[in-house]
Amino acid sequence: MGLVSIIDGTRFYATSAGILHPELRGRPLVVTSGENGIVIAANRLATDQCGMKKFEPVFKQKEIISRHDVLVVEANFNLFGHHSNQFQSIIMDYFDDCSSYSIDEVFALVPSNVVPIDYLREMRSQVYKLTRTAVSAAASLNCTLAKACSWASKSLTGYNGLCVIDSMDEMDEILKKMPIGSIWGIGRSMNKTLVAQGMTKAIDLKHADPTQMKKLFGKNIVDVISELNGRKVLNWKNPGHPNSKIVIGSSKSYKERLHNKTDVHQALAHHIHIVCQKVRAQHSIIKCIIFSCSTSSYDHQPYSKSIKIKLAYPTSDTSAVLVMLNDTINDLLPHSGNWVPIYRINVSATDLKSIDVKQSDLFAPPEDERKMQVFDLINARFGKNTMFLGAKGAVPKCENVRPLQLKHPHSRWRDVPDVFC
């Protein structure tokens, strides 16, 4: 049996933005999740030379953007999707057994009759030659260790984007340097708990007591520990725990506070759209939804309120969840006579279940799944927020950082580039 490999696009969104937009190359660039959103990707010029931080709101980094003339572009998932199909199709020509894990990652089984490091090096070269996409490649004994090698290929000196390890002794040297939060399947909250217990490196989790860890975090972490010890537990074609989320959330901090019920309602509706779309994308349904809003910890009048709703009939229909918001919005907000400006909004879907186990109920309210399918298909083809329900508002609240709009050369004739010879 060959090694499990992971091929990962290097700074994929930022790279994709420059492939069909030559004017963006050679400049610090960040990609945002939407207008006034967070930074979801950045090239090396933006992070290493300018100090931009990923997964931080754009408005918090406005000074850096202005000082270093950082380009801010809004994510165009239609363009990124086409670029992903191009580079992944080349990867799949090299492997008989492979599986697309995400828009910029592919799991594959390295053929047993090749030298893995040479084979992966040739594949990387071919991908870059044909698509101008830089990819890192890593391989090891199982999915989790392959992911650890992928981390090493990008974070440790000497690997230069290529890391193949089939020796546990050599792997332990990497695990001693790897932060525990970088292990595949270890989320942010779990990372905080593990660090609080004095476990800071991946090697600490490898030697942890599986029985004790299972009591604290459940069965999934036992699988991670087993794989860190070199055993094959997860199916690389359908790796269970990281791919199917049991909690999906969307939140945002607003520099310009929300000063009335309409603004808060529209902000919550916006995040309901995001959460429900993500739930449908992984073929799940929601059994419990949480709405919350709060002030900043630095505000003089602290306020925080959450409402948890257990659904009698699980759903992923955005319009159904919006009805729940309408019914509870007054209980969520501060009293009108004592209003405090709201800083943070959060929507979380918990207790998710696979749609395959959904049971029909004679008394359940009617639900038109085709409507949501049309929404998702149109937004996937023509760009996020092309179609949405009016509850989220037509004009987003401005934070004074206007991202550039990438073109749609695969779906708009006017955006197809002209070539003069």
Side-chain angles (χ1 to χ4, degrees):
M1 185 68 70
L3 299 177
V4 176
S5 66
I6 176 78
I7 298 95
D8 183 7
T10 303
R11 300 179 182 255
F12 178 72
Y13 290 159
T15 300
S16 295
I19 286 179
L20 291 178
H21 296 76
E23 69 277 10
L24 303 181
R25 301 175 191 172
R27 298 181 59 184
L29 178 145
V30 297
V31 180
T32 69
S33 57
E35 191 165 340
N36 313 320
I38 65 170
V39 175
I40 60 174
N43 62 15
R44 293 194 183 278
L45 289 174
T47 56
D48 298 349
Q49 296 186 18
C50 302
M52 292 292 295
K53 296 180 179 179
K54 290 199 296 183
F55 311 117
E56 286 284 337
V58 175
F59 70 82
K60 287 187 176 181
Q61 307 184 71
K62 184 179 177 182
E63 182 181 345
I64 298 176
I65 293 171
S66 177
R67 186 190 324 137
H68 296 282
D69 192 24
V70 177
L71 290 170
V72 180
V73 301
E74 184 175 348
N76 180 339
F77 294 101
N78 181 24
L79 177 65
F80 297 161
H82 278 85
H83 186 199
S84 172
N85 291 337
Q86 288 179 333
F87 96 86
Q88 291 198 16
S89 65
I90 297 170
I91 294 172
M92 292 178 182
D93 287 339
Y94 273 80
F95 301 97
D96 294 330
D97 291 322
C98 56
S99 175
S100 177
Y101 175 61
S102 68
I103 193 170
D104 63 341
E105 291 178 297
V106 176
F107 272 110
L109 196 63
V110 180
S112 56
N113 60 340
V114 302
V115 178
I117 195 164
D118 293 338
Y119 197 73
L120 293 176
R121 183 183 291 112
E122 179 189 343
M123 179 273 302
R124 291 180 70 208
S125 177
Q126 189 73 353
V127 169
Y128 186 77
K129 178 181 178 181
L130 297 179
T131 68
R132 313 311 287 178
T133 305
V135 297
S136 64
S140 193
L141 303 173
N142 55 47
C143 296
T144 304
L145 294 181
K147 274 285 194 174
C149 289
S150 180
W151 172 85
S153 71
K154 292 177 281 190
S155 304
L156 300 182
T157 58
Y159 290 104
N160 299 319
L162 182 62
C163 179
V164 177
I165 295 177
D166 57 5
S167 164
M168 287 307 299
D169 290 337
E170 188 176 354
M171 179 58 68
D172 283 349
E173 295 304 314
I174 288 179
L175 297 182
K176 290 176 183 177
K177 301 173 184 177
M178 184 180 184
I180 198 166
S182 298
I183 300 174
W184 194 41
I186 302 299
R188 187 176 300 179
S189 59
M190 188 185 298
N191 176 45
K192 290 182 179 179
T193 305
L194 291 170
V195 170
Q197 294 181 353
M199 303 172 67
T200 59
K201 301 296 182 182
I203 195 71
D204 298 329
L205 184 59
K206 175 183 176 179
H207 298 307
D209 180 10
T211 304
Q212 183 65 26
M213 291 295 103
K214 183 177 180 179
K215 290 180 180 178
L216 293 173
F217 304 108
K219 178 182 181 298
N220 288 343
I221 199 168
V222 178
D223 294 341
V224 174
I225 295 173
S226 295
E227 295 231 325
L228 287 174
N229 282 277
R231 293 184 286 275
K232 285 188 177 181
V233 178
L234 300 175
N235 179 0
W236 63 270
K237 289 187 178 181
N238 183 25
H241 60 81
N243 212 17
S244 299
K245 299 179 180 178
I246 59 173
V247 177
I248 290 178
S250 178
S251 62
K252 184 175 179 180
S253 300
Y254 292 83
K255 180 182 178 183
E256 300 295 331
R257 303 297 200 270
L258 307 176
H259 292 277
N260 54 62
K261 174 181 176 180
T262 300
D263 284 348
V264 175
H265 188 281
Q266 290 183 354
L268 285 165
H270 171 73
H271 293 286
I272 287 172
H273 273 76
I274 295 173
V275 167
C276 289
Q277 193 279 325
K278 290 181 178 180
V279 169
R280 292 192 296 271
Q282 73 168 28
H283 304 288
S284 297
I285 48 178
I286 303 168
K287 295 191 68 176
C288 181
I289 191 84
I290 300 174
F291 307 132
S292 62
C293 64
S294 64
T295 57
S296 167
S297 56
Y298 299 102
D299 289 340
H300 297 298
Q301 294 178 278
Y303 179 84
S304 179
K305 183 71 178 287
S306 294
I307 291 181
K308 183 176 182 179
I309 304 172
K310 292 186 177 181
L311 281 64
Y313 302 101
T315 183
S316 61
D317 189 325
T318 304
S319 56
V321 180
L322 288 173
V323 171
M324 300 174 200
L325 175 64
N326 291 338
D327 294 340
T328 58
I329 185 70
N330 290 328
D331 296 329
L332 182 66
L333 299 177
H335 297 296
S336 57
N338 189 32
W339 183 272
V340 290
I342 299 300
Y343 172 70
R344 187 167 181 82
I345 292 292
N346 180 73
V347 174
S348 296
T350 65
D351 195 12
L352 300 180
K353 301 296 181 183
S354 171
I355 197 170
D356 296 330
V357 299
K358 183 178 181 180
Q359 294 183 344
S360 300
D361 192 310
L362 181 64
F363 300 101
E367 191 172 297
D368 188 356
E369 296 180 357
R370 295 173 299 174
K371 177 177 65 178
M372 291 296 101
Q373 291 174 0
V374 170
F375 270 60
D376 294 340
L377 288 171
I378 290 176
N379 289 328
R381 179 171 182 179
F382 298 105
K384 188 170 60 174
N385 294 327
T386 299
M387 178 177 283
F388 56 86
L389 297 173
K392 62 180 266 185
V395 181
K397 202 170 176 61
C398 180
E399 302 282 5
N400 299 320
V401 178
R402 294 276 184 181
L404 299 173
Q405 300 293 318
L406 298 175
K407 296 180 180 180
H408 293 71
H410 301 287
S411 57
R412 291 179 185 166
W413 280 109
R414 67 175 180 270
D415 288 346
V416 175
D418 297 324
V419 178
F420 299 95
C421 300

